[in-house]
Amino acid sequence: MSEPTIESILTENRVFTPSADFAQNARINSLDKYQEIYAKAQADPQAFWAELAETELDWFEKWHTVMDWQPPNVKWFAGGKINITYNCIDRHLKTWRRNKAALIWEGEPGDSRTLTYAQLHREVCQFANALKRLGVKKGDVIGIYMPMIPEAAIAMLACARIGAPHSVVFGGFSAEALRDRLNDGSAKLVITADGGWRKDAIVPLKEQVDKALADNAAPTVENVLVVKRTAQNLKMEPGRDHWWHDLQKEVSADCPAEPMDSEDVLFILYTSGSTGKPKGVVHTTGGYNLYTHMTTKWIFDLQDNDVYWCTADVGWITGHSYIVYGPLSNGATSLMYEGAPRPSNPGCIWDVVEKYGVNIFYTAPTAIRAFIKMGDHLPNSRDLSSLRLLGTVGEPINPEAWIWYHRVIGKQKCPIVDTWWQTETGGIMITPLPGATPTKPGSATLPFPGIIADVVDLEGNSVKDNQGGYLVVTHPWPGMMRTVYGDPDRFRRSYWEHIPPKDGKYVYFAGDGARRDQDGYFWVMGRVDDVINVAGHRLGTMEIESALVSHPAVAEAAVVGKPDEIKGESVTAFVILEGDQAHTDTLADNLRQHVASEIGAIAKPSEIRFTDALPKTRSGKIMRRLLRTLAAGEEITSDTSTLEDRSILDKLREGA
Ligand code: WTA
């Protein structure tokens, strides 16, 4: 952890109470009701979750133990048998929802597709049978590297249906990043597409898969299943590569959901931490199903005729939990959009809202800041009157961006749910309930029922109201991660040891700084570890440093986040070159390109600053907080007494 103290400079006093109109039809419709449910859950979390598991989900067999907590390992609903796709699809087929739209999809070029629950069922069963035909068995890890097309969701569900854990890798990641993740999970098969559309160009996904697998570099992968999307010419490797549309003709649509143990692995999803290697966050079946189901139901307050749109990519946890599993488990209509605002259509987001009459819209602060910059005329020239609820996730939202969202998009009538959570937490943890919680711009407000959170110092003592500290969760919850794939020690070290257990009571350390105000509202201030948040994407500074150092010209590198108007943070890299090479713009460009090919375009430094030395402590640790201050162009006023050589700072400043 980098910062000894956490200070908050934000004071925001505006309060917005849910409108009577909204509250009237909401499931949880007053603060009193929230508090009553919260108190009940806090008094006996196990009884609270067990009751919901019983009434909200279908189980093949009931559990024998609600929660088995052997810190830091937890089991929820042990002994229970369940399949999340049964809850997401099959159970709706017995009701009128059979013919309700499960997925509405809009492609970037303007093509579109709607899948009813019955159609989704058929596609998922066929896809699952195709996987079986390629030799996939329960427990085999399957890589998914897909554009935002319905088959991405279908592929995830097909894996879950037969008990093969999926490992989705965001389509913006490079071949190298894909290969590392496939190898870490020993993936047996990769599902991909020829390409996807992104800002009027084709992202050649299959080509990246070929690169990742070249020279037998991912030896566990036996087959590649390819969906046709962009239809450019493609090299298919005989025996290894298979077209989905060919297999589809040969397989039946009969594939019953495999009864899984509640604690069987549902998926692995990689995220950045404070070391160079991404962590494979492991989620299991029953608890995750319940947690995403309940949070979707109460936070988005989905009603049966709603069109719900979460703009995330399925490559991130938000896509997993709030495009696919949570909404479908609730029998909702979930919209998927392939495109992004682009010069040829900067207002495309609002076109989609208008076209489908979207009622609930969930996006990220970085997107909102980009919308603000593009101008009010874009949303103002579309019909947004269908919207009734807005949400945000991914990073702290600036109060002014919140107010803009409320005014220009929500027309001052839509509640905003600012939802704090993480890949690790599986679902939303701190959030308003839209019909109940008065909101304050910039605050994620109060914990979800069943979640017991606190702000503590490094000894684990709660800090006073309005004082900064570390955000922790003090009681296990059903959606929490179970381990780091293949590395239980890292799981313990990363989340359970920074704050030492007191009297044998372990707390989950989130890695975020926060404060709690006099009303008990949480204000999340951002990461306290070496993770930066670029446009809502978590990037480990160490990962980017490793990528830079892997370039032959680089001797040493230090990466920090720099405040950015749109992206929240951008990447600044301080680089020491090998030998006495010239500090040229071309080399800086090459290094940026190198990072893109090692990790992905999202990790590209926006600034490279060449230097001869880095500020270090006497024990040789790079003092990143000083580099952060320098990158932001601010004066260094904090303590520099541990710095080994003060003259380095002057040189760095001169070079700026
Ligand atoms: C940040 C995304 C403030 C936080 C679901 C967290 C937020 C990290 C919020 C997780 C929010 C997410 N307010 N900060 N509403 N939501 N964060 O794993 O730093 O991609 O630790 O999960 O994003 O990012 P991840």
Side-chain angles (χ1 to χ4, degrees):
M1 275 168 292
S2 43
E3 296 299 314
T5 55
I6 301 166
E7 278 170 41
S8 169
I9 46 165
L10 184 72
T11 43
E12 169 61 57
N13 299 317
R14 288 169 283 194
V15 177
F16 294 77
T17 38
S19 71
D21 250 13
F22 190 95
Q24 204 176 17
N25 298 313
R27 289 196 172 79
I28 296 173
N29 55 10
S30 70
L31 192 59
D32 286 349
K33 180 97 177 275
Y34 159 78
Q35 280 163 346
E36 184 191 312
I37 299 174
Y38 188 85
K40 183 177 152 204
Q42 188 172 23
D44 190 346
Q46 295 195 43
F48 171 75
W49 292 117
E51 187 187 327
L52 292 173
E54 180 93 54
T55 53
E56 295 284 332
L57 298 184
D58 288 26
W59 298 78
F60 300 126
E61 261 175 58
K62 197 174 162 175
W63 56 89
H64 53 68
T65 311
V66 178
M67 179 182 90
D68 176 6
W69 177 221
Q70 315 276 344
N73 301 307
V74 76
K75 291 185 180 145
W76 281 92
F77 311 112
K81 297 267 186 206
I82 188 167
N83 188 297
I84 196 167
T85 72
Y86 186 89
N87 283 304
C88 286
I89 309 173
D90 302 51
R91 62 171 168 167
H92 307 311
L93 303 182
K94 298 179 221 155
T95 71
W96 68 270
R97 290 195 186 99
R98 175 184 168 73
N99 295 321
K100 174 178 175 177
L103 293 176
I104 295 178
W105 171 78
E106 174 87 3
E108 195 183 83
D111 46 347
S112 61
R113 224 177 128 190
T114 296
L115 286 160
T116 64
Y117 275 93
Q119 289 172 313
L120 180 64
H121 179 255
R122 189 179 174 81
E123 293 264 340
V124 168
C125 288
Q126 283 188 325
F127 212 106
N129 280 334
L131 292 175
K132 283 192 199 162
R133 171 161 302 203
L134 294 173
V136 174
K137 289 189 293 298
K138 186 171 171 175
D140 289 340
V141 174
I142 305 302
I144 298 182
Y145 186 64
M146 290 280 265
M148 279 290 285
I149 56 176
E151 285 80 2
I154 291 167
M156 291 164 70
L157 292 160
C159 290
R161 193 152 185 96
I162 60 175
H166 54 73
S167 168
V168 182
V169 179
F170 172 56
F173 276 126
S174 68
E176 279 72 15
L178 171 64
R179 182 205 300 135
D180 290 347
R181 286 158 178 75
L182 294 174
N183 281 333
D184 188 79
S186 306
K188 190 161 177 199
L189 179 144
V190 181
I191 305 168
T192 189
D194 46 358
W197 288 103
R198 180 93 192 154
K199 302 197 177 175
D200 300 320
I202 291 175
V203 182
L205 293 164
K206 167 66 166 57
E207 215 175 85
Q208 297 295 317
V209 172
D210 289 342
K211 267 195 214 159
L213 303 185
D215 304 323
N216 204 25
T220 54
V221 175
E222 294 167 6
N223 291 290
V224 178
L225 184 49
V226 188
V227 175
K228 191 171 227 155
R229 163 74 185 130
T230 42
Q232 77 276 31
N233 272 336
L234 218 60
K235 200 175 101 267
M236 295 290 279
E237 189 165 308
R240 187 195 74 179
D241 300 346
H242 314 267
W243 283 111
W244 158 234
H245 57 257
D246 288 340
L247 284 167
Q248 194 176 24
K249 289 182 211 134
E250 299 168 12
V251 291
S252 93
D254 179 25
C255 179
E258 178 76 24
M260 303 296 291
D261 282 329
S262 180
E263 280 300 329
D264 277 338
V265 175
L266 176 63
F267 65 85
I268 308 169
L269 185 60
Y270 288 82
T271 192
S272 297
S274 46
T275 74
K277 192 169 173 270
K279 295 182 266 209
V281 169
V282 172
H283 283 289
T284 58
T285 309
Y288 176 85
N289 192 165
L290 179 64
Y291 198 68
T292 50
H293 178 91
M294 287 317 306
T295 46
T296 304
K297 183 165 182 168
W298 286 352
I299 298 163
F300 298 113
D301 195 49
L302 293 174
Q303 308 290 337
D304 249 323
N305 49 5
D306 279 330
V307 175
Y308 158 90
W309 181 16
C310 164
T311 66
D313 190 285
V314 289
W316 308 112
I317 190 69
T318 309
H320 283 54
S321 300
Y322 298 111
I323 293 176
V324 181
Y325 291 117
L328 297 180
S329 183
N330 281 282
T333 298
S334 182
L335 193 145
M336 269 177 103
Y337 179 47
E338 185 189 34
R342 52 200 183 276
S344 66
N345 188 358
C348 60
I349 299 290
W350 317 120
D351 286 343
V352 174
V353 169
E354 179 178 295
K355 177 171 177 187
Y356 295 102
V358 171
N359 306 103
I360 301 167
F361 181 71
Y362 187 35
T363 195
T366 183
I368 296 168
R369 291 190 299 263
F371 297 149
I372 296 174
K373 193 151 187 204
M374 288 186 280
D376 294 9
H377 63 284
L378 296 173
N380 284 347
S381 57
R382 272 77 172 183
D383 177 6
L384 305 185
S385 60
S386 56
L387 290 173
R388 64 181 195 88
L389 173 60
L390 304 174
T392 89
V393 59
E395 55 179 313
I397 181 163
N398 339 48
E400 291 321 312
W402 193 104
I403 295 288
W404 181 90
Y405 197 30
H406 182 251
R407 187 171 50 82
V408 179
I409 306 304
K411 313 293 181 206
Q412 305 189 19
K413 70 177 171 51
C414 303
I416 296 180
V417 289
D418 173 357
T419 61
W420 176 85
W421 60 295
Q422 310 177 293
T423 306
E424 292 87 339
T425 67
I428 297 166
M429 301 289 280
I430 300 180
T431 177
L433 298 183
T437 317
T439 49
K440 305 182 189 183
S443 170
T445 76
L446 300 168
F448 192 76
I451 299 304
I452 307 173
D454 199 358
V455 180
V456 301
D457 61 21
L458 273 180
E459 272 87 60
N461 304 308
S462 304
V463 301
K464 290 203 211 78
D465 284 355
N466 287 311
Q467 217 174 54
Y470 300 96
L471 182 55
V472 296
V473 186
T474 62
H475 191 279
W477 66 101
M480 67 192 265
M481 76 182 285
R482 298 301 193 260
T483 190
V484 172
Y485 191 76
D487 198 348
D489 264 3
R490 189 166 177 202
F491 175 56
R492 181 185 287 274
R493 277 196 319 273
S494 305
Y495 303 103
W496 305 96
E497 284 182 351
H498 291 294
I499 310 289
K502 264 211 312 234
D503 310 322
K505 202 167 156 26
Y506 280 72
V507 299
Y508 169 82
F509 171 77
D512 279 321
R515 75 179 163 96
R516 195 155 48 170
D517 71 15
Q518 59 291 348
D519 300 322
Y521 277 43
F522 286 81
W523 298 76
V524 178
M525 282 134 46
R527 304 291 307 186
V528 293
D529 53 11
D530 291 326
V531 170
I532 53 183
N533 193 325
V534 178
H537 303 318
R538 270 166 74 171
L539 297 169
T541 50
M542 293 276 283
E543 280 167 75
I544 307 174
E545 287 164 10
S546 309
L548 284 165
V549 174
S550 74
H551 190 282
V554 176
E556 196 175 358
V559 163
V560 295
K562 171 181 173 176
D564 182 284
E565 207 190 318
I566 303 285
K567 294 190 267 185
E569 282 184 289
S570 64
V571 178
T572 295
F574 293 85
V575 171
I576 304 178
L577 293 176
E578 290 278 4
D580 46 8
Q581 300 182 67
H583 298 175
T584 62
D585 288 349
T586 319
L587 182 54
D589 270 352
N590 288 346
L591 294 181
R592 296 175 69 242
Q593 234 9 81
H594 181 69
V595 173
S597 72
E598 286 290 306
I599 304 175
I602 47 171
K604 249 191 201 176
S606 41
E607 190 183 10
I608 297 226
R609 285 166 70 164
F610 294 111
T611 173
D612 297 325
L614 290 166
K616 291 189 179 166
T617 61
R618 289 188 182 87
S619 60
K621 272 189 91 168
I622 296 174
M623 295 181 77
R624 282 204 182 71
R625 73 182 155 86
L626 300 181
L627 292 175
R628 267 201 295 275
T629 311
L630 283 172
E634 291 164 5
E635 276 305 309
I636 293 174
T637 52
S638 60
D639 182 27
T640 54
S641 56
T642 50
L643 187 62
E644 195 188 12
D645 177 1
R646 282 207 49 115
S647 69
I648 289 173
L649 286 186
D650 301 329
K651 277 193 219 140
L652 279 167
R653 227 181 272 122
E654 280 159 25

